[in-house]
mmCIF file of all heavy atoms in Angstrom:
data_model
loop_
_atom_site.group_PDB
_atom_site.id
_atom_site.type_symbol
_atom_site.label_atom_id
_atom_site.label_comp_id
_atom_site.label_asym_id
_atom_site.label_seq_id
_atom_site.Cartn_x
_atom_site.Cartn_y
_atom_site.Cartn_z
ATOM 1 N N PRO A 125 17.485 32.365 17.840
ATOM 2 C CA PRO A 125 17.935 31.675 16.662
ATOM 3 C C PRO A 125 17.715 32.479 15.348
ATOM 4 O O PRO A 125 18.441 32.386 14.370
ATOM 5 C CB PRO A 125 17.088 30.393 16.630
ATOM 6 C CG PRO A 125 16.588 30.259 17.990
ATOM 7 C CD PRO A 125 16.531 31.574 18.642
ATOM 8 N N ARG A 126 16.717 33.323 15.350
ATOM 9 C CA ARG A 126 16.403 34.165 14.173
ATOM 10 C C ARG A 126 17.519 35.182 13.957
ATOM 11 O O ARG A 126 17.823 35.589 12.890
ATOM 12 C CB ARG A 126 15.035 34.855 14.328
ATOM 13 C CG ARG A 126 13.878 33.869 14.314
ATOM 14 C CD ARG A 126 12.562 34.620 14.608
ATOM 15 N NE ARG A 126 12.573 35.190 15.972
ATOM 16 C CZ ARG A 126 11.654 35.930 16.466
ATOM 17 N NH1 ARG A 126 10.565 36.249 15.730
ATOM 18 N NH2 ARG A 126 11.699 36.385 17.725
ATOM 19 N N LEU A 127 18.079 35.663 15.077
ATOM 20 C CA LEU A 127 19.173 36.576 14.950
ATOM 21 C C LEU A 127 20.419 35.919 14.466
ATOM 22 O O LEU A 127 21.205 36.474 13.687
ATOM 23 C CB LEU A 127 19.462 37.296 16.302
ATOM 24 C CG LEU A 127 18.305 38.165 16.802
ATOM 25 C CD1 LEU A 127 18.689 38.776 18.133
ATOM 26 C CD2 LEU A 127 17.975 39.264 15.818
ATOM 27 N N GLY A 128 20.618 34.707 14.938
ATOM 28 C CA GLY A 128 21.732 33.896 14.399
ATOM 29 C C GLY A 128 21.640 33.692 12.900
ATOM 30 O O GLY A 128 22.628 33.768 12.180
ATOM 31 N N ALA A 129 20.438 33.456 12.434
ATOM 32 C CA ALA A 129 20.218 33.263 10.982
ATOM 33 C C ALA A 129 20.476 34.601 10.260
ATOM 34 O O ALA A 129 20.981 34.610 9.134
ATOM 35 C CB ALA A 129 18.823 32.785 10.741
ATOM 36 N N ALA A 130 20.026 35.693 10.866
ATOM 37 C CA ALA A 130 20.260 37.004 10.265
ATOM 38 C C ALA A 130 21.735 37.336 10.104
ATOM 39 O O ALA A 130 22.181 37.853 9.088
ATOM 40 C CB ALA A 130 19.577 38.110 11.080
ATOM 41 N N VAL A 131 22.504 37.007 11.156
ATOM 42 C CA VAL A 131 23.936 37.231 11.110
ATOM 43 C C VAL A 131 24.609 36.354 10.014
ATOM 44 O O VAL A 131 25.446 36.876 9.219
ATOM 45 C CB VAL A 131 24.605 36.941 12.493
ATOM 46 C CG1 VAL A 131 26.110 36.881 12.377
ATOM 47 C CG2 VAL A 131 24.187 37.991 13.513
ATOM 48 N N ALA A 132 24.218 35.123 9.889
ATOM 49 C CA ALA A 132 24.759 34.298 8.877
ATOM 50 C C ALA A 132 24.421 34.786 7.488
ATOM 51 O O ALA A 132 25.317 34.785 6.566
ATOM 52 C CB ALA A 132 24.227 32.854 9.065
ATOM 53 N N ALA A 133 23.253 35.278 7.341
ATOM 54 C CA ALA A 133 22.799 35.784 6.000
ATOM 55 C C ALA A 133 23.505 37.086 5.695
ATOM 56 O O ALA A 133 23.872 37.318 4.575
ATOM 57 C CB ALA A 133 21.289 36.012 5.991
ATOM 58 N N TYR A 134 23.745 37.908 6.706
ATOM 59 C CA TYR A 134 24.466 39.151 6.441
ATOM 60 C C TYR A 134 25.923 38.887 6.101
ATOM 61 O O TYR A 134 26.494 39.545 5.254
ATOM 62 C CB TYR A 134 24.361 40.115 7.684
ATOM 63 C CG TYR A 134 24.942 41.455 7.320
ATOM 64 C CD1 TYR A 134 24.157 42.394 6.647
ATOM 65 C CD2 TYR A 134 26.270 41.777 7.617
ATOM 66 C CE1 TYR A 134 24.705 43.584 6.265
ATOM 67 C CE2 TYR A 134 26.782 42.982 7.233
ATOM 68 C CZ TYR A 134 26.014 43.900 6.555
ATOM 69 O OH TYR A 134 26.554 45.092 6.177
ATOM 70 N N ARG A 135 26.542 37.939 6.735
ATOM 71 C CA ARG A 135 27.947 37.599 6.411
ATOM 72 C C ARG A 135 28.026 37.120 4.974
ATOM 73 O O ARG A 135 28.933 37.514 4.232
ATOM 74 C CB ARG A 135 28.487 36.520 7.344
ATOM 75 C CG ARG A 135 29.952 36.243 7.118
ATOM 76 C CD ARG A 135 30.489 35.082 7.993
ATOM 77 N NE ARG A 135 30.281 35.335 9.406
ATOM 78 C CZ ARG A 135 31.105 36.112 10.132
ATOM 79 N NH1 ARG A 135 32.153 36.648 9.577
ATOM 80 N NH2 ARG A 135 30.884 36.287 11.419
ATOM 81 N N THR A 136 27.070 36.321 4.565
ATOM 82 C CA THR A 136 27.003 35.914 3.162
ATOM 83 C C THR A 136 26.874 37.119 2.244
ATOM 84 O O THR A 136 27.542 37.216 1.203
ATOM 85 C CB THR A 136 25.830 34.940 2.909
ATOM 86 O OG1 THR A 136 26.032 33.746 3.699
ATOM 87 C CG2 THR A 136 25.743 34.518 1.432
ATOM 88 N N TYR A 137 26.004 38.024 2.585
ATOM 89 C CA TYR A 137 25.815 39.274 1.800
ATOM 90 C C TYR A 137 27.101 40.044 1.746
ATOM 91 O O TYR A 137 27.495 40.524 0.618
ATOM 92 C CB TYR A 137 24.694 40.058 2.489
ATOM 93 C CG TYR A 137 24.498 41.448 1.909
ATOM 94 C CD1 TYR A 137 23.863 41.618 0.625
ATOM 95 C CD2 TYR A 137 24.882 42.636 2.577
ATOM 96 C CE1 TYR A 137 23.628 42.859 0.051
ATOM 97 C CE2 TYR A 137 24.601 43.849 2.021
ATOM 98 C CZ TYR A 137 24.038 43.978 0.813
ATOM 99 O OH TYR A 137 23.856 45.258 0.260
ATOM 100 N N ALA A 138 27.758 40.249 2.851
ATOM 101 C CA ALA A 138 29.035 40.990 2.816
ATOM 102 C C ALA A 138 30.046 40.363 1.944
ATOM 103 O O ALA A 138 30.819 40.996 1.219
ATOM 104 C CB ALA A 138 29.544 41.140 4.265
ATOM 105 N N GLN A 139 30.096 39.001 2.011
ATOM 106 C CA GLN A 139 31.078 38.258 1.181
ATOM 107 C C GLN A 139 30.690 38.395 -0.298
ATOM 108 O O GLN A 139 31.590 38.633 -1.188
ATOM 109 C CB GLN A 139 31.110 36.816 1.565
ATOM 110 C CG GLN A 139 32.234 35.998 0.886
ATOM 111 C CD GLN A 139 33.626 36.415 1.380
ATOM 112 O OE1 GLN A 139 33.913 36.273 2.528
ATOM 113 N NE2 GLN A 139 34.402 36.981 0.468
ATOM 114 N N GLU A 140 29.473 38.355 -0.585
ATOM 115 C CA GLU A 140 29.022 38.502 -2.016
ATOM 116 C C GLU A 140 29.389 39.899 -2.535
ATOM 117 O O GLU A 140 29.777 40.008 -3.705
ATOM 118 C CB GLU A 140 27.510 38.261 -2.075
ATOM 119 C CG GLU A 140 27.045 36.839 -1.908
ATOM 120 C CD GLU A 140 25.520 36.672 -1.799
ATOM 121 O OE1 GLU A 140 24.835 37.779 -1.622
ATOM 122 O OE2 GLU A 140 25.063 35.580 -1.878
ATOM 123 N N GLN A 141 29.230 40.885 -1.694
ATOM 124 C CA GLN A 141 29.563 42.227 -2.141
ATOM 125 C C GLN A 141 31.011 42.376 -2.389
ATOM 126 O O GLN A 141 31.458 43.034 -3.343
ATOM 127 C CB GLN A 141 29.096 43.289 -1.092
ATOM 128 C CG GLN A 141 27.573 43.353 -0.900
ATOM 129 C CD GLN A 141 26.822 43.563 -2.190
ATOM 130 O OE1 GLN A 141 27.134 44.519 -2.924
ATOM 131 N NE2 GLN A 141 25.848 42.718 -2.484
ATOM 132 N N ALA A 142 31.845 41.835 -1.528
ATOM 133 C CA ALA A 142 33.302 41.857 -1.732
ATOM 134 C C ALA A 142 33.656 41.068 -2.983
ATOM 135 O O ALA A 142 34.524 41.515 -3.798
ATOM 136 C CB ALA A 142 34.007 41.286 -0.493
ATOM 137 N N ASP A 143 33.057 39.912 -3.166
ATOM 138 C CA ASP A 143 33.371 39.073 -4.290
ATOM 139 C C ASP A 143 33.027 39.784 -5.629
ATOM 140 O O ASP A 143 33.709 39.572 -6.671
ATOM 141 C CB ASP A 143 32.624 37.744 -4.235
ATOM 142 C CG ASP A 143 33.125 36.858 -3.095
ATOM 143 O OD1 ASP A 143 34.232 37.140 -2.530
ATOM 144 O OD2 ASP A 143 32.429 35.884 -2.747
ATOM 145 N N ALA A 144 31.950 40.594 -5.610
ATOM 146 C CA ALA A 144 31.586 41.315 -6.784
ATOM 147 C C ALA A 144 32.455 42.568 -6.996
ATOM 148 O O ALA A 144 32.632 43.035 -8.085
ATOM 149 C CB ALA A 144 30.096 41.701 -6.694
ATOM 150 N N THR A 145 32.946 43.138 -5.891
ATOM 151 C CA THR A 145 33.729 44.324 -5.988
ATOM 152 C C THR A 145 35.117 44.080 -6.679
ATOM 153 O O THR A 145 35.560 44.897 -7.509
ATOM 154 C CB THR A 145 33.974 44.908 -4.542
ATOM 155 O OG1 THR A 145 32.714 45.337 -4.024
ATOM 156 C CG2 THR A 145 34.936 46.070 -4.621
ATOM 157 N N VAL A 146 35.741 42.987 -6.341
ATOM 158 C CA VAL A 146 37.086 42.728 -6.833
ATOM 159 C C VAL A 146 37.137 42.755 -8.385
ATOM 160 O O VAL A 146 37.945 43.421 -8.954
ATOM 161 C CB VAL A 146 37.649 41.448 -6.244
ATOM 162 C CG1 VAL A 146 38.947 41.048 -6.973
ATOM 163 C CG2 VAL A 146 38.008 41.647 -4.765
ATOM 164 N N PRO A 147 36.265 42.000 -9.089
ATOM 165 C CA PRO A 147 36.339 42.062 -10.558
ATOM 166 C C PRO A 147 35.989 43.439 -11.104
ATOM 167 O O PRO A 147 36.501 43.859 -12.161
ATOM 168 C CB PRO A 147 35.362 41.000 -11.056
ATOM 169 C CG PRO A 147 34.509 40.673 -9.864
ATOM 170 C CD PRO A 147 35.318 40.925 -8.645
ATOM 171 N N ALA A 148 35.118 44.151 -10.414
ATOM 172 C CA ALA A 148 34.714 45.519 -10.857
ATOM 173 C C ALA A 148 35.945 46.432 -10.726
ATOM 174 O O ALA A 148 36.181 47.286 -11.610
ATOM 175 C CB ALA A 148 33.601 46.048 -10.045
ATOM 176 N N VAL A 149 36.713 46.268 -9.619
ATOM 177 C CA VAL A 149 37.921 47.105 -9.469
ATOM 178 C C VAL A 149 39.002 46.685 -10.404
ATOM 179 O O VAL A 149 39.791 47.515 -10.899
ATOM 180 C CB VAL A 149 38.375 47.004 -7.997
ATOM 181 C CG1 VAL A 149 39.736 47.743 -7.814
ATOM 182 C CG2 VAL A 149 37.326 47.646 -7.064
ATOM 183 N N GLU A 150 39.059 45.398 -10.704
ATOM 184 C CA GLU A 150 40.064 44.934 -11.666
ATOM 185 C C GLU A 150 39.795 45.548 -13.061
ATOM 186 O O GLU A 150 40.756 45.926 -13.756
ATOM 187 C CB GLU A 150 40.009 43.408 -11.734
ATOM 188 C CG GLU A 150 40.675 42.723 -10.557
ATOM 189 C CD GLU A 150 40.563 41.185 -10.580
ATOM 190 O OE1 GLU A 150 39.570 40.739 -11.147
ATOM 191 O OE2 GLU A 150 41.421 40.548 -9.994
ATOM 192 N N ALA A 151 38.509 45.611 -13.446
ATOM 193 C CA ALA A 151 38.190 46.275 -14.701
ATOM 194 C C ALA A 151 38.539 47.773 -14.710
ATOM 195 O O ALA A 151 39.092 48.325 -15.701
ATOM 196 C CB ALA A 151 36.709 46.113 -15.024
ATOM 197 N N PHE A 152 38.269 48.432 -13.563
ATOM 198 C CA PHE A 152 38.671 49.832 -13.420
ATOM 199 C C PHE A 152 40.182 50.010 -13.519
ATOM 200 O O PHE A 152 40.642 50.874 -14.240
ATOM 201 C CB PHE A 152 38.136 50.316 -12.050
ATOM 202 C CG PHE A 152 38.580 51.676 -11.644
ATOM 203 C CD1 PHE A 152 38.220 52.781 -12.360
ATOM 204 C CD2 PHE A 152 39.273 51.856 -10.428
ATOM 205 C CE1 PHE A 152 38.600 54.098 -11.968
ATOM 206 C CE2 PHE A 152 39.672 53.104 -9.999
ATOM 207 C CZ PHE A 152 39.360 54.236 -10.753
ATOM 208 N N ALA A 153 40.897 49.162 -12.845
ATOM 209 C CA ALA A 153 42.366 49.183 -12.884
ATOM 210 C C ALA A 153 42.935 48.924 -14.312
ATOM 211 O O ALA A 153 43.893 49.561 -14.722
ATOM 212 C CB ALA A 153 42.965 48.175 -11.918
#
């Protein structure tokens, strides 16, 4: 179960990074 929690947390992290990337790239563009 701890690995399941780690996977869920990592997916959230990956989504957060993508969500932050888009506005940064929009400013660059």
Side-chain angles (χ1 to χ4, degrees):
R126 294 173 297 174
L127 295 180
V131 167
Y134 188 82
R135 186 184 300 278
T136 298
Y137 173 72
Q139 188 68 64
E140 288 172 347
Q141 295 306 307
D143 291 347
T145 296
V146 169
V149 173
E150 287 176 328
F152 173 60

